[in-house]
Amino acid sequence: MRVLVAEDEEILAELVATGLRRAGFAVDTVYSGDAALAYLGLHDYDVVVLDRDLPRVHGDDVARKLVASGSRTRILMLTAAGSMEDRVAGLDLGADDYLGKPFEFPELVSRVRALRRRSARPVPPQLERHGIRLDTVRRTAFREGRELDLSPKEFSVLQLLLEADGATVSAEELLERAWDANADPFTGAVRVCMSKLRGKLGEPAVIRTVQGVGYAL
């Protein structure tokens, strides 16, 4: 659900981030190894798309420190060094996957999704509750057979509620998991998104507000 792109070529980093956001991920971008370590220490990412040749702190050192910390964040190394020796070296550092440049963007999205499924919070291909069915691979949503026209953010919020399996999810957790680091926690973004999502789900209402705690489905 949440991805960090660590790539020193800023244009490429933003292109990758834009494409991943369109695929439904919340994405942050950094352009150096020290910034990557700082963000990884602040936020709980599912996947980091990590360039090996980062300035200030090398991508290899970022991978080493992330693995040594016991983090559940999966590492996808994205680099121009694509020989077999480079791939082996990257995987030996603790990377979960390795993709050489240039690459086809659909393959990158598919690999990020595959790593998400292998994370400590595995997501089944389909989630169902109260007549709502989400296909997390095709990114489709239905209620009682009626297809729902959800925005990427609404889809992500509904997926988090379904993953909770009836447990309450706080607004803070929704903000952390479905929005990027630029989200202002005081804007009411979660409340606005929840209102739109409820409208699209229709009656009878299935999302309830747990006063002072969060939301549950």
Side-chain angles (χ1 to χ4, degrees), residues 90-188:
L91 293 170
D92 282 347
L93 286 169
D96 298 281
D97 200 357
Y98 197 105
L99 186 60
K101 301 175 186 176
F103 57 89
E104 296 293 332
F105 197 79
E107 182 180 5
L108 172 65
V109 173
S110 179
R111 286 173 182 255
V112 170
R113 282 182 176 152
L115 289 177
R116 166 69 169 99
R117 290 194 294 271
R118 289 165 50 192
S119 73
R121 288 192 292 260
V123 179
Q126 292 201 1
L127 296 164
E128 293 191 48
R129 189 176 177 86
H130 295 314
I132 298 169
R133 187 176 81 256
L134 254 66
D135 187 317
T136 62
V137 177
R138 295 184 176 88
R139 305 282 300 174
T140 57
F142 294 83
R143 182 176 187 186
E144 305 294 353
R146 172 176 61 89
E147 186 167 8
L148 303 171
D149 182 19
L150 303 181
S151 71
K153 197 69 67 186
E154 291 159 358
F155 189 98
S156 295
V157 168
L158 184 56
Q159 180 174 332
L160 287 166
L161 292 173
L162 283 165
E163 286 179 22
D165 197 25
T168 302
V169 183
S170 69
E172 291 78 9
E173 183 177 352
L174 290 172
L175 196 66
E176 168 71 18
R177 302 301 304 155
W179 276 263
D180 60 32
N182 295 317
D184 185 343
F186 302 106
T187 60

Side-chain angles (χ1 to χ4, degrees), residues 9 14 33 43 46 57 76 84 94 96 98 119 130 162 193:
E9 296 180 36
E14 295 307 322
H43 305 289
D46 295 290
V57 176
L76 171 58
M84 182 192 70
D96 298 281
Y98 197 105
S119 73
H130 295 314
L162 283 165
C193 180

Side-chain angles (χ1 to χ4, degrees), residues 61-112:
D61 293 324
V62 174
R64 288 190 188 98
K65 291 180 180 180
L66 191 60
V67 171
S69 72
S71 172
R72 64 160 199 87
T73 301
R74 300 293 184 178
I75 302 171
L76 171 58
M77 279 193 167
L78 184 65
T79 175
S83 69
M84 182 192 70
E85 291 80 7
D86 290 317
R87 290 197 299 273
V88 169
L91 293 170
D92 282 347
L93 286 169
D96 298 281
D97 200 357
Y98 197 105
L99 186 60
K101 301 175 186 176
F103 57 89
E104 296 293 332
F105 197 79
E107 182 180 5
L108 172 65
V109 173
S110 179
R111 286 173 182 255
V112 170

